Structures are given as C-alpha cells and as structure tokens.
Amino acid sequence: MEEDVIRAEKLNKVFSIKGKKPLTALNGLSLSVKKGELTAVIGPDGAGKTTLMRLIAGLMNPTSGSLTVLGMDSVKDAEEIQSRISYMPQKFGLYEDLTVQENLDLYADLHGVPQEKRPERFGKLLDMMGLAPFTGRFAGKLSGGMKQKLGLACTLVRSPDLLLLDEPTVGVDPLSRRELWKILKTFVKEEHLSIFVSTAYMNEAEMCSHVFVLHKGNLLADGTPEDLCRIADGRCYNVLPEEGVPTRILQAHLIDETKLIVDAVPRGGTVHFIMEKGVDEIPYLKRHHLEPTPVPAKLEDGFMTLLRKAEGHEAPPEEAEDVLDRGGRPSSEVNIVVKNLVKKFGDFTAVSNTSFEVHKGEIFGLLGPNGAGKTTTFKMLCGLLPETSGFLSVAGVDLRKARTQARANIGYVAQKFSLYSHMSVLDNLKFFGGIYGVPKGRLSERIRELCQEFDLEDVLDRLAEDLPGGYKQRLSMAAALLHEPQILFLDEPTSGIDPLARRNFWRRITTLAARGTTIIITTHFMEEAEYCDRFMIQDNGILLAIGSPSEIREELGQPGADMDRIFIEIVERSRKEGEKS
C-alpha cells in the first residue's frame, strides 16, 4: 500500500555466531507503519528493536521474509531507500572537535544539500532545537540534551520521507526530552514527516499514533496507546503506605506477591499496582488494613502485563522475613558529610557552595538537567575528582586527607558499562575481587553469594560483551559489591534498560538499603526519585531543592504530581527567577 512507509511480511533475521548456536533477532515479524504518523516500537532488552531499525535503514539484509520501505525492496533498492530516509542510531556520530555549525555543514555536504537551501533549513533547525546562540560552540562542550538535539538537527539537514530514531532520549533529562518530542511532533504536523522511533520511556510511546510491542523478535501486540491501555483495564490500583513507611518498602512487598500481582511501582506518593485477573485479596494489604483505590490503566500497565505474561516473574529475593520492615528507614548515623562544596574548571563554576548529609542505609538521589553539575558532585563524592574548596567526608574519612582509604569503603557502578568485555562473567568477578583486595578464601564464597543474588549462575562462562543490557547491569552491580562496601554509588544505572529490568534492579536496591548499605544514585528516570528517601535537584551547579518526595511535593503544593512534572517545575521556576535577576 502507498500509505505504508514500512511493511514487513514474515521477516526473519538470524545471526550466526562462531562456536555458538545461531541467534534469532527477529522471528516471522509482520507489521505495517502508516505514512505521516509518529509510530513507536517498544520492548525489553534483546527484543529486536535495533535490528529492525538497521534492516529498515538498509544497513543489513534479512535472513528471510520481505521488507519494503517507501514502497521499495529493502535489499534490491537499499541505496535508493538510504537517499530518501534519515537514521539516528543510539550512538550518533557527532564530531566533538567541530562546532555546531561545522557539524551541520558536514552532514549537509554528506547528504548533498544544495548551498542555496541551507540558510533557510539551518535557520529553522537551529531555532527549533534552541541551538541558534551556540553555533560557534564545539559539539564536545554541549550538554547531553543539546548533543541529542544537534544529532537530530544533523539527521534532518534534508527533509526525508522517513525518519528512524533509535532511543533518541536515553540519558537525557525530562526537560530536554519534552523539548525533543515537541520538535518531533512539529515536524509531523508541519512537514507531514513519517517517524518510526524506539523508546524505553512509556510516556513517550503514549504520544505516538501507533505502538508496536516486541519481545525476543516476536510481535506481542500493536495498536493505539488506548488499545494497549485496555490490556490492563479494570486491574490497576493505587494504595498509600502506612504512615512513615517508604513507598519502596510497600512496593517490594507487593511485587514479591508474584502469583497475585503483575506489577507494582511507586508513583505520585502511592504504590501503583496491577492485579492478576480475579484476585481481590492480597495478604500484605489485608494484614496492614490498606485500602487500594481503582485507577485507569496507562500504556505502561498494558506493556508490563504483556511482558509478565511473556517472561514470567523473577523469583523474589530470599531474605529474612522482616528485612524490609527492619530496614525501611535510614539510621541516624551519618555516612556522608558535604559542606560548602565548590568545584571550578578555570572560570566555570560547575558546583557552587553545596551542603548536605546522607545517612547510613539511605537512598539519596542526585537529580538535575544535563550539565547541571550532578555528575561533577557525584565524582567528587566518589573520590574521582578533587574539590576546589569545601569539606567532604565519606564513611567517616576526610576525602582531602585520605582519598584511598575512603575508596575502600565504596562501590561504584559507572554510567557506561565499564567491565572487561572480552573476559567472562566469572573472570571479571575474580579480577575485580583482586583489585578490591578481597581475601582469596572469601572471594569464591562472595562470588557465589552475588551470582545467586543477581541471577548470574547461568551466564558465568559468557563473555561480558555478549550479555544483554540488563545482565551487564547486574554484573556491574555484583562487581561493585564484592568487597561489601558501606556506600554504593550508582551513575545512571538504569539508562537505556526497559521497565521490567528497572523493576528487578530496584527490588535489589531496596534489599541492599534495608541491610544498611547507603546508596547514592543519579538518574534521568524521574519516577526513580520515588524510591529515594531524599533527593536533591541541581541546575547550573546550584542546589535548588532537597528533601523527601512527599516534602518536595508539599512545598510545591502538588501532593499527587508525578516526578517529571515536579522536576520540570522546580528547574523552570529557578531559571525564570535567574532571568529576572
């Protein structure tokens, strides 16, 4: 059909891996994408989303089946297709040592954009992306959100018939994400552009006309966002925890009821959960006399219902009956002290006079837009970056005087997978155990404990590079915990992983905190602030807000607001006040 910009019929893609059984990335996939619409594909790690994108872009050939793009055969007409589409992969190739303008010029040259058409096109793109004042800035000096917008501008230097975007907002803050999606919707409306996008954010998928759900190369479901919401109709509830009980503790109790509960997640100061059909008695809620309230289903509820059906539940962690209730609140013991912290890079102040404390067993979040100073703060707390002035004490050790001693008490999980890709899971754990100085007699026992806790027993012989994203993250966590640190630093640990993997990750973090480990985390998934005992929001190096989720909602007079909204309001309010002064 002319109206279909993409049409797949029984599409298969199998990868041959030397010495291993073939990997089926797409399995008999049939779908069609309409012209002039914003269409999303969602699914967990290993679903086949990126493989599908690369096939559509003509960067690889299918094993069997047929794929037409803009009415042309994806294999025979690959060059013609590529001349009419634009594709922005997850790692888009900006030239960091070129300016914004030079990047645009280079991509215009590559795409053969005539000189006379460039001023008007560049002007529109720079204006829409908010990059007009920064044309002379090097791409490497842009914040993460601005880099993504420049990547999109470079992708759109010509007006394509089809735009492919592979997770364009991973690692981007809510403010920049909102701006990016506003731009996409404008292009659909004004230029009737057809956009096919993969995303890990369900609220982004909700903005699309049609959504495809992939799982292990199969199409689980597709339809409008409203169609996918209906999958969980009549099964969604919100429940308030008892006074003084963190929402993550209630969520953990509910999510462990694997026969009764499909999904549970902290949301808006409550715990939102989906029941299995026909179940109306949940032991924990009855025991604590908690009354759930029925609420409408969201797209994420339909997605989680489909995934749980396809994947089943992970077994809940084995732990003492009362570990969650015992460890639900941080202790009075202070693990981290920050006083008047300042970090300057030449004339630029990245962190300005920041003070706070973090308690033992507390989950403490560092939030802020791209370029806000949170990563700089994070690195100073870890001992990876010296402060310009101020005082920092971690696990009772003054970082200025005894940085090495302080590091012995901390574990660190980097934003980008930082283990050894060409080593097996077991060899990575042995290597990092040696680096952390874990005694040999204790190391094998510790590896066994962590492999059981993080479900790594079945992948011990696999190379780290061959693991799906969720497993890589588990391996990073296990390696960081080998020496049983008092404090665990997590730098955007859930960036780019799907909601199911995020639930499993946070269930483990809840247990760690309950056992007394202090957790410091940076994240761009604002919903994850709900798991924190307290969090702080920074922008332009300045501390804007600090407190528990309920305290910050109360301060803004928005008791049930979601964290994206809270975050955007605090940052925008501060920026407006800054403009006035």
Side-chain angles (χ1 to χ4, degrees):
M1 277 178 67
E2 181 58 36
E3 288 302 301
D4 291 338
V5 287
I6 302 166
R7 192 171 188 80
E9 297 279 355
K10 297 180 181 174
L11 190 64
N12 289 290
K13 182 60 185 178
V14 180
F15 292 99
S16 299
I17 303 169
K18 195 175 179 182
K20 296 177 186 176
K21 71 175 189 177
L23 172 70
T24 301
L26 294 176
N27 184 25
L29 187 70
S30 295
L31 57 79
S32 57
V33 175
K34 285 183 184 170
K35 185 178 180 180
E37 290 189 352
L38 188 47
T39 305
V41 57
I42 58 177
D45 293 321
K49 304 184 296 294
T50 296
T51 300
L52 177 59
M53 287 274 181
R54 290 175 68 81
L55 287 170
I56 294 166
L59 298 173
M60 56 172 70
N61 295 336
T63 306
S64 62
S66 71
L67 176 63
T68 57
V69 181
L70 303 173
M72 296 175 283
D73 185 281
S74 69
V75 178
K76 293 178 192 167
D77 306 312
E79 282 190 30
E80 174 66 17
I81 290 169
Q82 286 167 2
S83 73
R84 291 177 55 191
I85 70 167
S86 288
Y87 173 44
M88 185 175 167
Q90 283 182 32
K91 290 173 183 166
F92 185 74
L94 285 175
Y95 291 86
E96 302 220 332
D97 54 350
L98 296 182
T99 65
V100 167
Q101 186 62 57
E102 286 167 344
N103 268 280
L104 286 171
D105 289 335
L106 177 64
Y107 277 92
D109 290 343
L110 289 172
H111 289 301
V113 180
Q115 288 290 343
E116 66 274 12
K117 289 190 176 177
R118 294 187 188 190
E120 186 185 348
R121 187 68 179 172
F122 288 176
K124 179 177 180 177
L125 290 169
L126 289 166
D127 188 47
M128 285 180 80
M129 308 291 174
L131 292 170
F134 308 104
T135 52
R137 186 176 291 187
F138 288 113
K141 297 290 184 186
L142 298 174
S143 69
M146 289 170 80
K147 280 180 182 174
Q148 288 300 88
K149 285 192 275 190
L150 176 56
L152 184 58
C154 290
T155 307
L156 290 168
V157 287
R158 59 173 176 183
S159 188
D161 293 322
L162 171 65
L163 175 62
L164 303 174
L165 301 171
D166 194 0
E167 301 205 355
T169 55
V170 163
V172 175
D173 68 79
L175 211 54
S176 299
R177 279 207 311 273
R178 186 183 69 172
E179 289 165 0
L180 234 147
W181 275 82
K182 189 177 173 185
I183 291 162
L184 294 181
K185 288 195 278 187
T186 301
F187 270 103
V188 171
K189 187 178 176 185
E190 291 183 0
E191 298 193 4
H192 308 292
L193 183 59
S194 305
I195 302 178
F196 189 59
V197 58
S198 71
T199 178
Y201 294 93
M202 297 303 108
N203 59 353
E204 291 182 350
E206 278 180 327
M207 289 189 253
C208 296
S209 302
H210 202 90
V211 181
F212 294 94
V213 184
L214 296 191
H215 178 263
K216 292 182 179 174
N218 296 296
L219 183 64
L220 284 189
D222 74 289
T224 64
E226 294 73 26
D227 292 336
L228 296 179
C229 288
R230 280 193 279 274
I231 293 166
D233 257 358
R235 300 163 65 182
C236 299
Y237 294 80
N238 286 351
V239 62
L240 274 166
E242 294 171 281
E243 186 70 33
V245 175
T247 53
R248 69 170 183 271
I249 298 296
L250 172 56
Q251 184 251 0
H253 280 295
L254 291 178
I255 215 163
D256 287 353
E257 295 277 7
T258 53
K259 291 193 170 102
L260 307 178
I261 304 285
V262 175
D263 182 42
V265 64
R267 186 182 290 167
T270 71
V271 175
H272 177 82
F273 68 95
I274 312 166
M275 295 200 309
E276 290 286 7
K277 279 180 180 168
V279 176
D280 55 6
E281 292 194 350
I282 297 161
Y284 183 85
L285 298 185
K286 285 184 75 176
R287 209 161 50 240
H288 293 267
H289 309 291
L290 299 176
E291 290 288 333
T293 306
V295 292
K298 291 192 166 192
L299 183 143
E300 185 170 29
D301 299 317
F303 177 68
M304 292 302 294
T305 303
L306 287 166
L307 277 196
R308 289 291 189 199
K309 193 174 176 183
E311 291 219 347
H313 288 261
E314 272 198 13
E318 288 183 25
E319 55 199 9
E321 184 73 23
D322 62 344
V323 70
L324 289 177
D325 296 321
R326 261 191 305 111
R329 300 166 191 82
S331 77
S332 56
E333 183 184 334
V334 176
N335 256 173
I336 294 174
V337 177
V338 177
K339 286 182 183 171
N340 305 320
L341 187 65
V342 174
K343 180 63 185 178
K344 292 187 177 183
F345 297 97
D347 294 334
F348 174 67
T349 302
V351 176
S352 174
N353 204 35
T354 296
S355 300
F356 59 90
E357 292 182 344
V358 182
H359 293 254
K360 180 180 168 68
E362 183 171 16
I363 301 179
F364 187 85
L366 296 176
L367 312 179
N370 297 99
K374 63 185 183 300
T375 301
T376 304
T377 303
F378 189 84
K379 285 181 176 176
M380 286 190 283
L381 292 174
C382 295
L384 298 172
L385 196 64
E387 69 275 23
T388 303
S389 64
F391 174 78
L392 259 180
S393 166
V394 176
V397 179
D398 182 341
L399 277 188
R400 194 181 281 274
K401 293 176 182 172
R403 202 174 296 279
T404 306
Q405 188 187 336
R407 279 185 192 159
N409 296 311
I410 67 175
Y412 176 62
V413 177
Q415 184 177 344
K416 292 185 174 70
F417 185 64
S418 58
L419 303 184
Y420 288 91
S421 295
H422 297 294
M423 284 166 59
S424 71
V425 169
L426 182 59
D427 287 342
N428 263 290
L429 292 171
K430 285 179 178 175
F431 177 77
F432 278 91
I435 282 180
Y436 285 128
V438 182
K440 280 191 178 176
R442 174 67 177 139
L443 183 56
S444 55
E445 183 186 347
R446 191 76 186 121
I447 288 173
R448 191 175 65 252
E449 289 169 1
L450 288 164
C451 285
Q452 190 175 3
E453 185 170 339
F454 289 98
D455 296 316
L456 294 169
E457 295 112 318
D458 295 337
V459 295
L460 284 172
D461 295 331
R462 283 182 68 177
L463 295 181
E465 68 182 354
D466 293 338
L467 296 174
Y471 276 90
K472 282 182 178 176
Q473 180 232 54
R474 292 184 207 175
L475 175 56
S476 296
M477 288 278 292
L481 290 166
L482 280 163
H483 58 308
E484 300 175 79
Q486 293 180 42
I487 303 168
L488 182 62
F489 286 92
L490 303 168
D491 190 8
E492 295 193 28
T494 56
S495 183
I497 66 171
D498 62 86
L500 190 56
R502 291 205 300 274
R503 302 289 193 274
N504 296 332
F505 165 83
W506 275 103
R507 181 62 190 86
R508 291 184 172 91
I509 293 298
T510 295
T511 294
L512 280 172
R515 289 177 186 159
T517 304
T518 304
I519 314 285
I520 309 292
I521 184 164
T522 68
T523 179
H524 279 129
F525 285 99
M526 289 305 117
E527 67 192 47
E528 296 186 337
E530 301 277 10
Y531 291 94
C532 297
D533 293 289
R534 289 182 306 140
F535 61 85
M536 56 181 268
I537 295 177
Q538 283 173 288
D539 191 27
N540 297 320
I542 298 165
L543 185 96
L544 303 184
I546 186 167
S548 69
S550 59
E551 285 168 350
I552 287 176
R553 281 194 185 94
E554 201 173 308
E555 207 174 292
L556 289 178
Q558 298 188 23
D562 68 53
M563 275 299 152
D564 266 11
R565 190 166 135 203
I566 294 287
F567 175 89
I568 289 168
E569 179 151 335
I570 286 171
V571 172
E572 285 190 332
R573 183 186 293 182
S574 165
R575 289 180 179 179
K576 279 173 189 167
E577 286 169 2
E579 284 168 13
K580 284 176 191 171
S581 59

